[in-house]
């Protein structure tokens, strides 16, 4: 009987602050695509910056370890951002992650934290970067008269929403769109491209070897729906 090769573990840690809809999409894709069997990959922990994040319940329903690192707990520190990032990094590193996935994680990370996870830290942003980095992306796109909006999966860099692009989905702006309506359609595409981008990175790590995976390896997927 031919034995399946033993793959090195590719632990994934997901960071959240809210509902966890992208987390749910990632978990479903991992189960459907048999990431553990094919790539040695699994989501091993979900860490939230908010105690009331409903994404924590999503993780527990899938039997995944959860943790809370609340940014509010560091408000009295001399350097709250650095103290928060240090605590978050300590919690993440317990799981020896191959990838750290930001999925609705609403904190700006320090440059030291980003450097620590170079080539492993990814995010999804609800615009076609480099357009409309930051907040209120859909309202800004509508105000600018854009005919298309979308979402971008990218590496996290020290500059907000400026890392290398991994995947994009393009969504048309419809007549009479409100920011909420546009956001809902973009979110549906986020649920498609984020798991797909993660899976392609996992494939690359298996094919090239963990130590050879380029930190700025970029691919592009454009979908108009």
């Amino acid at each position: 009987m031919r034995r399946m090769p033993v793959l090195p573990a590719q632990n994934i840690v997901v960071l959240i602050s809210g509902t966890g809809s992208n987390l749910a999409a990632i978990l479903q894709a991992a189960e459907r695509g048999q990431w553990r069997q094919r790539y040695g990959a699994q989501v091993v922990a979900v860490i939230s910056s908010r105690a009331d994040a409903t994404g924590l319940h999503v993780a527990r329903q899938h039997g995944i370890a959860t943790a809370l690192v609340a940014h509010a707990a560091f408000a009295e520190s001399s350097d709250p951002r650095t103290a928060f990032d240090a605590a978050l990094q300590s919690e993440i590193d317990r799981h020896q992650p191959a990838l750290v996935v930001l999925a609705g994680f609403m904190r700006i990370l320090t440059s030291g934290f980003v450097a620590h996870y170079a080539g492993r830290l990814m995010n999804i942003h609800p615009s076609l970067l480099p357009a409309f980095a930051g907040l209120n992306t859909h309202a800004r796109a509508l105000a600018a008269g854009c005919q298309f909006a979308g979402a971008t999966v990218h590496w996290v860099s020290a500059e907000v929403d400026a890392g290398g692009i991994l995947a994009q989905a393009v969504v048309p702006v419809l007549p009479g769109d409100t920011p909420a309506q546009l956001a809902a359609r973009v979110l549906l595409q986020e649920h498609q491209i984020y798991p797909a981008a993660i899976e392609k990175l996992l494939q690359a790590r298996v094919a090239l070897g963990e130590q050879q995976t380029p930190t700025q390896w970029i691919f592009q997927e454009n979908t108009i729906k």
Side-chain angles (χ1 to χ4, degrees), residues 1-7:
M1 180 182 297
R2 181 181 178 184
R3 292 186 176 182
M4 295 292 292
V6 177
L7 299 173

Side-chain angles (χ1 to χ4, degrees), residues 73-195:
F74 301 91
E76 301 302 321
S77 300
S78 58
D79 187 347
R81 284 185 61 201
T82 299
F84 170 76
D85 280 11
L88 180 61
Q89 181 176 313
S90 178
E91 181 62 34
I92 293 170
D93 285 351
R94 293 198 310 108
H95 303 283
Q96 299 180 308
L99 287 175
V100 179
V101 175
L102 277 57
F105 186 70
M106 303 303 291
R107 304 300 304 169
I108 296 176
L109 299 164
T110 59
S111 59
F113 182 97
V114 172
H116 181 73
Y117 296 107
R120 296 184 288 164
L121 185 62
M122 58 195 303
N123 184 41
I124 190 162
H125 181 75
S127 80
L128 293 174
L129 292 174
F132 307 117
L135 301 176
N136 303 316
T137 56
H138 306 298
R140 290 160 61 199
L142 292 174
C146 294
Q147 295 184 340
F148 295 95
T152 302
V153 181
H154 63 96
W155 292 119
V156 177
S157 63
E159 183 180 351
V160 175
D161 299 328
I165 292 173
L166 295 169
Q168 290 184 311
V170 180
V171 176
V173 175
L174 303 180
D177 258 346
T178 65
Q181 290 169 332
L182 181 57
R185 291 205 311 283
V186 170
L187 185 61
L188 292 176
Q189 292 306 307
E190 291 182 35
H191 295 165
Q192 299 298 314
I193 65 168
Y194 211 0

